Amino acid sequence: MDVDDVAKVLKDLGHPHRLRIFKRLTRSGFDGLPVGVLREDLDIPHSSMTHHVAALVSAGLIEQVREGRILRCVPKYGRLWDVIAFLQSECCVEDRSRQID
Amino acid sequence: MDVDDVAKVLKDLGHPHRLRIFKRLTRSGFDGLPVGVLREDLDIPHSSMTHHVAALVSAGLIEQVREGRILRCVPKYGRLWDVIAFLQSECCVEDRSRQID
DNA sequence: ACGTTATTACCGGTAATTTCGAAATATTGA
DNA sequence: TCAATATTTCGAAATTACCGGTAATAACGT
């Protein structure tokens, strides 16, 4: 991941609704949850929800799988791990001799 | 840090210029760098730079200390660590029995 | 006081985001 | 095919973000 990719993920995750959606999804497990459940849990109107979910999809943080008439949102843990790895390796002191503990 | 705090930090860091600024600062060490150096390194116009620096300050990611006529930007590593800690603890599977590896 | 350097404040224009009701689409079960 | 359910698209307003030129401020050296 390069700087621009990471910036995009951070931006898309950097919204209270979207962070809550992603948190709820990740905690729920590897199967994810339907849009409707998220919507009800977090009390976000239908159309707003769609936009936020779409943003998370475009950031690669979740994917959607259709099952009949419900669309399940599945969290992509690896995407977050990649971002965290970037931050840990690129946003720390370069000169380790001066690193605190 | 609660969800809203984290969302704000992510949002403010989620811009190519600002992520590059923060990366440059953190890598440079605990003393940080003057605005002018960042500006020249990253080739961002004066006034735009001010906006981005202000955003990072408001997110608590950096602080500025005046030294004569130059203003040094100092990265606040702890702020990023807090965000990473939040993501690692709140955006992972709750049921560890199903955690992969 | 004056010129120089470093940085910010102000401003206006443009673009993007957020919001959400209402209508539309897709899918299923009967 | 019809009604019910799940989700998205459309549309439109309000808000916020972004950008960068120019003017203002702050601090220094002489």
Side-chain angles (χ1 to χ4, degrees):
Chain A
M1 294 187 87
D2 65 13
V3 179
D4 294 312
D5 293 330
V6 173
K8 170 157 177 56
V9 175
L10 294 177
K11 184 194 118 197
D12 285 330
L13 199 53
H15 183 290
H17 281 167
R18 292 195 291 267
L19 184 53
R20 285 194 170 84
I21 291 168
F22 186 69
K23 175 185 169 189
R24 181 80 180 77
L25 274 180
T26 51
R27 306 220 77 177
S28 82
F30 297 97
D31 294 336
L33 293 169
V35 176
V37 172
L38 290 169
R39 206 196 74 65
E40 197 162 339
D41 276 13
L42 302 174
D43 196 29
I44 299 171
H46 290 94
S47 49
S48 300
M49 195 62 176
T50 297
H51 290 308
H52 292 306
V53 167
L56 292 173
V57 169
S58 93
L61 284 164
I62 68 175
E63 59 188 0
Q64 290 184 287
V65 297
R66 177 167 286 282
E67 280 167 0
R69 63 185 130 183
I70 83 175
L71 256 178
R72 198 154 43 82
C73 299
V74 180
K76 296 173 79 172
Y77 297 89
R79 188 72 169 168
L80 182 63
W81 294 343
D82 289 345
V83 170
I84 290 175
F86 177 95
L87 294 175
Q88 286 178 331
S89 68
E90 299 295 327
C91 296
C92 59
V93 283
E94 197 158 16
D95 178 1
R96 294 311 179 85
S97 67
R98 300 182 62 211
Q99 175 100 40
I100 53 178
D101 78 322
Chain B
M1 295 189 85
D2 65 13
V3 179
D4 294 312
D5 293 329
V6 174
K8 171 161 178 51
V9 175
L10 294 177
K11 183 194 116 196
D12 285 329
L13 199 53
H15 183 289
H17 282 167
R18 292 196 291 269
L19 184 53
R20 284 193 170 85
I21 292 168
F22 187 69
K23 176 184 169 188
R24 182 79 181 75
L25 274 180
T26 51
R27 305 220 78 177
S28 81
F30 297 97
D31 294 336
L33 293 169
V35 176
V37 173
L38 290 169
R39 206 196 74 63
E40 198 163 336
D41 276 13
L42 303 174
D43 195 31
I44 300 171
H46 290 94
S47 50
S48 299
M49 195 61 177
T50 298
H51 294 312
H52 293 305
V53 167
L56 292 173
V57 169
S58 93
L61 285 165
I62 68 175
E63 59 189 359
Q64 289 182 287
V65 297
R66 177 166 285 283
E67 279 166 0
R69 62 185 131 183
I70 82 173
L71 256 177
R72 198 154 42 79
C73 298
V74 181
K76 296 172 79 172
Y77 297 90
R79 188 70 169 169
L80 182 63
W81 294 343
D82 289 345
V83 170
I84 291 175
F86 177 96
L87 294 176
Q88 286 178 330
S89 68
E90 299 295 326
C91 296
C92 60
V93 283
E94 197 157 19
D95 179 0
R96 294 309 179 87
S97 68
R98 299 184 62 211
Q99 176 98 42
I100 54 178
D101 80 323

